[in-house]
Amino acid sequence: MRSAERTVDLRDVAALAAAVGIVGMSYGALAASAGIPWPLVVGMSLLVFAGGSQFLAVAVVVAGGAPVAAVAAGLLINLRHLPFGLAIGEVVGRSWPARLVGAHLLIDENVALTRSRGTGPRGTRVYWLCGASLFVAWNLGSVVGLLAGGRIPDPAVFGVDAAFPAALLALLLPSLRQADARRVGIAAAVLALAATPFLPAGVPVLVGLAGLLVALRPAQEVRS
């Protein structure tokens, strides 16, 4: 059983890493086309390691925005990592070095895959394996895209932009067997979709967090 689980984990991690590498190539190519110096492009991939905020930073610079605006926009999008950390903290580790490094590897795909594996030793193993693999794939992809310049097309051409949401949904489906999880998921999806036409990319995800309020209803009813 453990051998079969490890095979499945390696397969899923490899699939995510391949997709992340392709998107990383696109990021490097777009940054090179925008004239951003290569040390900054590589430095963002190593130190920030957050695709959404990195793409947004490039877009802000291309549009003539100030670096402060790019940093502020990136921080706003990455606020979603706060609840991610609460959800995944127990499997990362107890020591400060483990939590510090683990926080750097905390991205959407890693959190979703780890949560689908539970909170035991398997979840811990998957978190570190997936996080390290995606980190390497993203940074290698960024360098390849940087060297290739503008010859790497947008990831939408390959359908990778649709593959990520589909993969995350597939990873979350098992948890939707619980009634409270379904209520929270539906409420969050409705709120995020309603906010999408009016807010910048990444912000509707934060609005969707209000769906967690639905989970408070059963507790309040029991108390009454």
Side-chain angles (χ1 to χ4, degrees), residues 115-143:
R115 290 290 294 175
S116 71
R117 274 22 180 203
T119 58
R122 186 185 181 190
T124 300
R125 183 177 66 250
V126 168
Y127 183 83
W128 288 102
L129 174 63
C130 185
S133 299
L134 298 189
F135 182 80
V136 172
W138 176 261
N139 281 278
L140 287 178
S142 300
V143 173

Side-chain angles (χ1 to χ4, degrees), residues 10-220:
L10 288 172
R11 180 199 64 194
D12 292 346
V13 168
L16 286 174
V20 165
I22 293 175
V23 178
M25 291 180 194
S26 180
Y27 158 73
L30 291 174
S33 300
I36 299 177
W38 72 264
L40 185 58
V41 176
V42 175
M44 277 200 295
S45 289
L46 289 172
L47 301 177
V48 177
F49 185 47
S53 61
Q54 290 180 233
F55 274 108
L56 183 58
V58 172
V60 170
V61 172
V62 171
V68 174
V71 172
L75 288 174
L76 180 61
I77 287 182
N78 284 342
L79 282 176
R80 71 187 189 280
H81 289 178
L82 293 177
F84 286 175
L86 295 174
I88 213 71
E90 56 189 309
V91 304
V92 174
R94 296 182 180 275
S95 66
W96 279 109
R99 289 182 176 270
L100 185 62
V101 177
H104 191 54
L105 301 178
L106 188 142
I107 61 175
D108 306 55
E109 296 79 16
N110 193 14
V111 170
L113 182 61
T114 301
R115 290 290 294 175
S116 71
R117 274 22 180 203
T119 58
R122 186 185 181 190
T124 300
R125 183 177 66 250
V126 168
Y127 183 83
W128 288 102
L129 174 63
C130 185
S133 299
L134 298 189
F135 182 80
V136 172
W138 176 261
N139 281 278
L140 287 178
S142 300
V143 173
V144 171
L146 185 63
L147 295 175
R151 289 185 290 275
I152 303 293
D154 188 271
V157 175
F158 301 105
V160 177
D161 56 329
F164 274 121
L168 293 177
L169 178 60
L171 292 172
L172 293 174
L173 281 178
S175 64
L176 296 181
R177 295 172 183 170
Q178 303 176 6
D180 57 345
R182 287 196 298 271
R183 288 196 300 270
V184 172
I186 292 173
V190 169
L191 291 171
L193 287 173
T196 297
F198 309 104
L199 298 176
V203 179
V205 176
L206 302 178
V207 176
L209 293 176
L212 292 171
L213 297 175
V214 177
L216 299 178
R217 279 183 50 190
Q220 292 173 347

